[in-house]
Each structure stands twice: as C-alpha cells, then as structure tokens.
Amino acid sequence: MTEQSAGTRRAKIADQCLDQVFREARTQRAWLPGRIAVETLREVYDLARLGPTSANSSPARFIFVESESAKARLLPTLAPLNVDKTKAAPVTVIVAWDSEFHEKLPQLAPGSNMRALFAGNEALIHETAFRNSSLQGAYFIIAARALGLDCGPMSGFDAAKVNAEFFPDGKWKANFLINLGYGDASQLHPRQPRLEFDEACRVL
C-alpha cells in the first residue's frame, strides 16, 4: 500500500504557492543583476522533467544562454523589442525539440516498442515533438516560479537564425525562448485582462 492510497484525494496546495506560481506571477521584462547558479538550473529542470509527455517521449531540450559570448550569438536573432531585456536577463533558455527524440524511447518507454511508431514518420515526429516540447517549456516556467525565479517567455525571434547558430547539425529545433532570473517588480505594468470562464470554456 502506497502512502497515497487508492481512493484518497490530495489536499489543495497552499494559497501562498498558488499565488507564487500563478496569481501573483508575472511575465518579467526587467531584471535584477546577479547570476543563477548551475545547481538552481538543474533543480528547475529536475522538476520540469517530471511533467507528462506523450509516451514519456520528453522531446524538449534546454539550452541555457548565460555567457556574454553566447548572448552575443543570440541577440542578432531577436526581434528589436526583445534585445534589451534579453541582454539584462541572467539567463536566456532556448526551449528546443529534438527531431530524433524517438531514439531515446527504448530508454524512456522500455515496456513498449514506441520507437518503431515514430521511425521514418517525419510528420508524426514533428507534431509530437513540437506539442510536447511546448508542454515541457510550460512545465519549466511553473518549476522556475515554484523555486522563486521569474520568467519572461518570448516568441519574438527568428527560429531559422537560432537553429543555424546553435543547432547547425539540424537535429534540434528552437520552439521558444525564456528569459530567466529575478525580475524587477518596480518595472511591471498592470496585469492585462484574461478571458472569463464562460468566454473560454465549455462543459459538455
């Protein structure tokens, strides 16, 4: 019998946790100075990797752009509005997907021959990898917030340029970017509206 017995319900997590991860969390555009320890980046990843993906495929790959030389390679690929905030961020994460993720499936899903389902099926590889790496990027944001970090996800960049600069062998592909660090809350604008339940949801 496990500690989480069959039929029991987990307790709702504390409001303080929900506030930190969702209600009071904001997309940050201004950053406080200071580095993020590699151990912290590992801790974020170790949480994010536990989120579910199709067939446990785990196609996301995370590239932590921290050094001045690496930032210099990334900045020319960005839309103009994203340049200054990326310069200031301690780390920029390239959330990418691996076009050969299925080669890891014998390791990740050893109970079934899932690799054979994907091998040679480029359309299925792309659909599965893009969708699930997007999920994993979202898990990464939630994990980072849970550990006290702030995030500034971005899609304003030239993916072809990022791929050519960072993934010249063509195996990994950029999905989106996340600036990561400790945000300067004094620079935040008021939160923008969100759709209400009845505007965005249907119960059938």
Side-chain angles (χ1 to χ4, degrees):
M1 183 68 69
T2 63
E3 183 177 340
Q4 180 66 25
S5 300
T8 62
R9 294 186 179 183
R10 296 185 184 276
K12 174 184 172 181
I13 65 174
D15 275 339
Q16 179 183 357
C17 300
L18 294 172
D19 289 343
Q20 179 166 318
V21 175
F22 291 106
R23 298 182 186 126
E24 295 178 1
R26 302 290 303 281
T27 296
Q28 294 289 339
R29 296 175 175 83
W31 302 93
L32 301 175
R35 298 185 64 187
I36 301 173
V38 173
E39 292 77 15
T40 301
L41 299 177
R42 287 182 179 275
E43 191 175 3
V44 175
Y45 173 75
D46 283 344
L47 286 176
R49 68 177 179 161
L50 298 176
T53 56
S54 299
N56 199 34
S57 54
S58 307
R61 305 293 182 260
F62 301 89
I63 296 79
F64 298 101
V65 180
E66 178 189 47
S67 67
E68 287 188 17
S69 59
K71 283 282 186 80
R73 295 167 58 198
L74 180 63
L75 293 177
T77 73
L78 303 179
L81 289 175
N82 288 334
V83 170
D84 287 343
K85 57 189 175 184
T86 301
K87 280 183 182 179
V91 176
T92 302
V93 187
I94 304 173
V95 181
W97 54 274
D98 186 352
S99 64
E100 297 182 353
F101 73 88
H102 53 288
E103 299 297 343
K104 297 283 189 181
L105 285 173
Q107 169 189 341
L108 297 173
S112 57
N113 186 20
M114 295 302 297
R115 180 190 177 280
L117 178 67
F118 291 96
N121 191 335
E122 295 302 318
L124 183 61
I125 287 170
H126 182 279
E127 180 182 4
T128 302
F130 188 78
R131 176 185 297 124
N132 287 276
S133 66
S134 299
L135 276 174
Q136 289 185 276
Y139 302 147
F140 187 95
I141 292 170
I142 292 171
R145 288 175 169 181
L147 293 174
L149 293 166
D150 291 305
C151 300
M154 302 181 294
S155 58
F157 67 99
D158 187 321
K161 289 182 179 179
V162 171
N163 291 338
E165 182 62 41
F166 290 90
F167 316 124
D169 64 5
K171 295 179 181 178
W172 294 7
K173 314 285 186 182
N175 187 334
F176 67 102
L177 309 179
I178 306 170
N179 282 333
L180 191 67
Y182 298 99
D184 183 352
S186 69
Q187 301 299 311
L188 287 173
H189 300 295
R191 185 191 292 277
Q192 293 183 335
R194 300 296 195 270
L195 295 177
E196 298 296 335
F197 182 91
D198 291 338
E199 296 178 280
C201 306
R202 296 288 183 271
V203 179
L204 304 179

